[in-house]
Amino acid sequence: MTIRTRFAPSPTGQMHVGNLRTALYAWLLAKSQGGAFILRIEDTDQARKVEGAVDFIYNILADTGLTHDEGPDKGGEYGPYTQSERLPIYKEMSEKLIELGGAYRCFCTPERLDSVREVQKEAGEQQKYDGHCLHLSPEEIQKNLDANLPFVVRQKMPLDGATTFDDEVFGEITIEHSTLDDLILMKTDGFPTYNFANVVDDHLMKITHVVRGSEYLISTPKYNLLYQAFGWTPPKYVHVSAVMRDAKKKLSKRDGDANYRDFIEKGYLKEALLNYIALLGWNAGDDREKFTLSDLVEAFSIAGISKSPAIFDEQKLRWLNGEYIRELSAEAFQKIAEPWIRTVVKSKTADVAYLCTLLQKRTEILSEIPEKVDFIEEIPEYSVELYTHKKMKTNPENGLQSLKILQPALEAFEPWDHAEMYPMIVKLAEVNDINKKKLLWSLRVALSGKALTPGGGTDLAAIFGKSESMRRLNSAIDKLEKEE
RNA sequence: GACCCAUUCGUCUAGUGGUUAGGAUUCCGGCCUUUCACGCCGGCGACAGGGGUUCAAGUCCCCUAUGGGUCGCCA
């Protein structure tokens, strides 16, 4: 029997990274064993529906490479794959379940339910349905139905005993039936709840392994009771623990930047992001940390999933992203870096390709590029104290001296060849009996107006070209002379 | 509050009765160097606490603590 897993998001907007990780694990489980990955849209809550959210899900799955074999857009043998299009199925199934004795109609109003809960809360009791409609006679039920009273369908829980199931990650879990509430399966609006739809659909769609967040761990026995009532075989369960923002808070949509798209917009590469979230709560059993998607397919196994919640560490993501950036070819890096460079550098003459070779080893996330290159467009206001560097024993006075040595040499330097410039300056330092580092430090400050730059003085000269370099050099000399 | 689950360096983790408790990241040193970064080398840093079981416990059991989850006509 081939493995079938599913990703079943509700179309409520952004793709949270915890959600993405669940999708990744489900996809990996299927693909690592030659199985199928199914996308199902769980839109049973009409109030929470968000326009465009389904397309957004398609885009992310396509973008990350977690492609599905069956889904609303691709079809498949077990469709429709959108729950709002399966309403007749749930209706039929719920009626069947009532016949089977696994469920009953409940005509209680939300107001009555609230007050029951209120009373239970005051008394310090467990809050659960009080069974009011459980023993309605067939006549009473018919009367209510004839009166068109709205009703929900509730699952009838056994009163005693316990259900045990064996989770693939957490092991054996046992829940006493006495703690179970009679779940609502069908709402008054004719839509199923998750509690019902997931069971019906997972069964009908022949899902073999249910991968989902650990918040469902405790409800799983309720679902198994449903399977049992129908006479179906439950799937295997793979519950994965939460992704946390910090030790106390779960990563949540409300925290703002936990979304896939936000990370991409901040300049993270999708490969790095995916790699990182794979590692949050899973490991290959060895020391490897860098995985392509196909590496993951090869290495993935349920045994590597850990039980405890993992805190999302953006610092480590940054590092991983840097690793991915450094592995890019020069062309590939320039392609993704140039748009970021162009947000601040408008110059047509600056050598962007060369700039990129300098930037590549100095970039962890793309969004830090603009601040690194802003001096290229326009030299910032800077203090001549930048010429002071203790270790190199430089200061504005000898800085000026250095620039005056460099000025005629560079003026005469033809062609403006970067590879030749550095040895030329080294030689120039020797001739003038001055430390080459003094010359280079001053040159860098003169060209950039900054203490930290990608690359050194000759690198900057290469980026700017001769005319702009000489312009900056001369104006630096002017500036220093004025200060004297 | 009740129930379920978890707990190894700050963080992600390896570890399935006998290890100097390993790796990665962060941080700190050093080397390299045209500033910074990259790279390389090194360092700091953990078995939540208490009881058992055992010749031997991070590994098994119990209790406590802490944290998370669930208790919706949300999923």
Side-chain angles (χ1 to χ4, degrees):
Chain A
M1 183 160 146
T2 97
I3 284 199
R4 291 170 60 82
T5 66
R6 45 74 162 177
F7 177 49
S10 39
T12 54
Q14 290 293 316
M15 177 83 79
H16 181 258
V17 294
N19 245 194
L20 221 210
R21 191 193 60 171
T22 304
L24 211 212
Y25 287 177
W27 184 86
L28 286 172
L29 178 57
K31 296 305 154 187
S32 65
Q33 306 199 31
F37 178 63
I38 289 92
L39 174 66
R40 182 171 75 223
I41 300 299
E42 308 222 328
D43 58 347
T44 55
D45 186 351
Q46 294 299 291
R48 294 208 309 160
K49 230 173 177 169
V50 171
E51 197 61 36
V54 175
D55 285 329
F56 191 70
I57 291 166
Y58 294 150
N59 289 342
I60 291 182
L61 292 185
D63 209 29
T64 52
L66 305 183
T67 52
H68 49 289
D69 302 294
E70 298 166 29
D73 55 337
K74 297 197 172 167
E77 226 182 300
Y78 306 97
Y81 292 87
T82 299
Q83 290 186 329
S84 59
E85 294 168 20
R86 299 171 62 80
L87 264 24
I89 298 174
Y90 306 122
K91 183 165 192 291
E92 186 195 327
M93 286 297 181
S94 66
E95 282 164 3
K96 188 172 162 196
L97 191 64
I98 292 172
E99 279 171 37
L100 257 20
Y104 59 96
R105 294 185 180 82
C106 169
F107 297 90
C108 293
T109 61
E111 293 71 30
R112 192 185 100 80
L113 262 19
D114 283 345
S115 76
V116 167
R117 270 194 285 265
E118 187 69 21
V119 170
Q120 288 169 336
K121 196 177 173 184
E122 302 261 307
E125 289 169 17
Q126 187 188 355
Q127 294 175 44
K128 55 190 275 192
Y129 183 60
D130 63 356
H132 181 81
C133 294
L134 180 55
H135 302 294
L136 252 34
S137 68
E139 293 73 30
E140 285 172 302
I141 294 172
Q142 195 53 51
K143 201 180 85 193
N144 289 340
L145 254 24
D146 291 342
N148 268 327
L149 249 43
F151 66 89
V152 300
V153 176
R154 278 185 190 273
Q155 181 177 4
K156 188 165 151 190
M157 293 297 177
L159 298 174
D160 47 26
T163 290
T164 297
F165 75 101
D166 196 29
D167 185 81
E168 300 293 304
V169 173
F170 285 87
E172 222 171 67
I173 307 284
T174 300
I175 304 283
E176 299 290 330
H177 292 159
S178 60
T179 65
L180 267 28
D181 197 2
D182 284 3
L183 290 180
I184 290 177
L185 267 21
M186 294 293 289
K187 305 186 248 186
T188 47
D189 64 0
F191 278 74
T193 59
Y194 169 85
N195 302 125
F196 191 53
N198 96 85
V199 168
V200 169
D201 289 347
D202 285 341
H203 175 259
L204 260 24
M205 294 178 182
K206 295 196 162 52
I207 302 302
T208 60
H209 296 250
V210 168
V211 182
R212 58 160 61 132
S214 62
E215 64 269 27
Y216 295 102
L217 197 58
I218 201 173
S219 343
T220 300
K222 301 176 196 173
Y223 306 145
N224 274 5
L225 254 12
L226 238 29
Y227 280 95
Q228 211 176 78
F230 276 117
W232 299 338
T233 307
K236 289 189 186 297
Y237 294 104
V238 182
H239 285 97
V240 297
S241 51
V243 177
M244 310 288 289
R245 161 143 241 107
D246 58 43
K248 298 191 175 184
K249 265 190 295 176
K250 195 172 151 182
L251 213 49
S252 96
K253 295 176 190 175
R254 297 205 178 101
D255 284 328
D257 54 2
N259 295 318
Y260 174 81
R261 182 190 278 172
D262 289 339
F263 282 110
I264 299 305
E265 283 174 358
K266 266 201 258 178
Y268 287 97
L269 307 186
K270 56 180 188 276
E271 294 83 357
L273 219 204
L274 219 59
N275 187 158
Y276 179 71
I277 64 174
L279 255 24
L280 272 183
W282 172 84
N283 76 87
D286 51 38
D287 283 343
R288 284 183 293 168
E289 291 201 298
K290 286 168 69 186
F291 295 90
T292 62
L293 243 199
S294 61
D295 289 339
L296 286 172
V297 169
E298 172 268 324
F300 189 80
S301 86
I302 293 175
I305 299 177
S306 61
K307 301 181 199 177
S308 37
I311 296 172
F312 192 96
D313 181 7
E314 192 164 349
Q315 250 178 351
K316 187 147 185 181
L317 206 210
R318 282 184 79 99
W319 164 77
L320 228 206
N321 203 61
E323 291 281 302
Y324 274 82
I325 284 181
R326 273 168 249 137
E327 277 180 0
L328 257 26
S329 70
E331 295 72 32
F333 177 72
Q334 182 171 348
K335 196 173 169 213
I336 58 170
E338 187 152 3
W340 291 88
I341 294 171
R342 287 302 178 192
T343 62
V344 291
V345 178
K346 308 296 177 197
S347 159
K348 294 265 195 306
T349 54
D351 186 341
V352 171
Y354 186 65
L355 208 213
C356 283
T357 65
L358 298 171
L359 238 28
Q360 192 167 357
K361 287 196 185 324
R362 283 164 252 251
T363 304
E364 279 193 317
I365 62 176
L366 269 12
S367 57
E368 59 191 12
I369 288 178
E371 66 186 32
K372 289 184 195 298
V373 301
D374 56 3
F375 67 91
I376 294 175
E377 187 62 18
E378 190 177 10
I379 198 154
E381 270 311 311
Y382 65 99
S383 158
V384 293
E385 277 311 309
L386 270 189
Y387 287 96
T388 304
H389 191 288
K390 265 187 281 176
K391 220 171 140 190
M392 281 183 259
K393 300 199 174 81
T394 59
N395 54 45
E397 290 73 43
N398 59 32
L400 177 57
Q401 228 173 49
S402 295
L403 294 185
K404 282 185 166 167
I405 293 169
L406 284 163
Q407 205 273 348
L410 286 172
E411 192 62 66
F413 185 65
E414 284 290 349
W416 198 253
D417 182 330
H418 177 243
E420 294 299 320
M421 188 185 290
Y422 182 70
M424 183 278 281
I425 290 179
V426 170
K427 211 164 164 196
L428 188 66
E430 278 169 22
V431 171
N432 287 276
D433 194 25
I434 185 171
N435 188 330
K436 66 178 180 183
K437 290 195 177 188
K438 287 188 174 176
L439 250 36
L440 289 161
W441 175 267
S442 304
L443 177 61
R444 200 168 49 76
V445 172
L447 295 183
S448 69
K450 293 179 100 174
L452 302 183
T453 53
T458 63
D459 294 311
L460 300 183
I463 292 167
F464 288 127
K466 184 166 187 176
S467 127
E468 177 66 6
S469 296
M470 292 317 294
R471 195 180 70 76
R472 292 192 179 210
L473 186 59
N474 290 328
S475 103
I477 290 173
D478 283 352
K479 183 180 172 90
L480 282 168
E481 280 175 339
K482 262 185 223 152
E483 292 283 329
E484 263 186 308

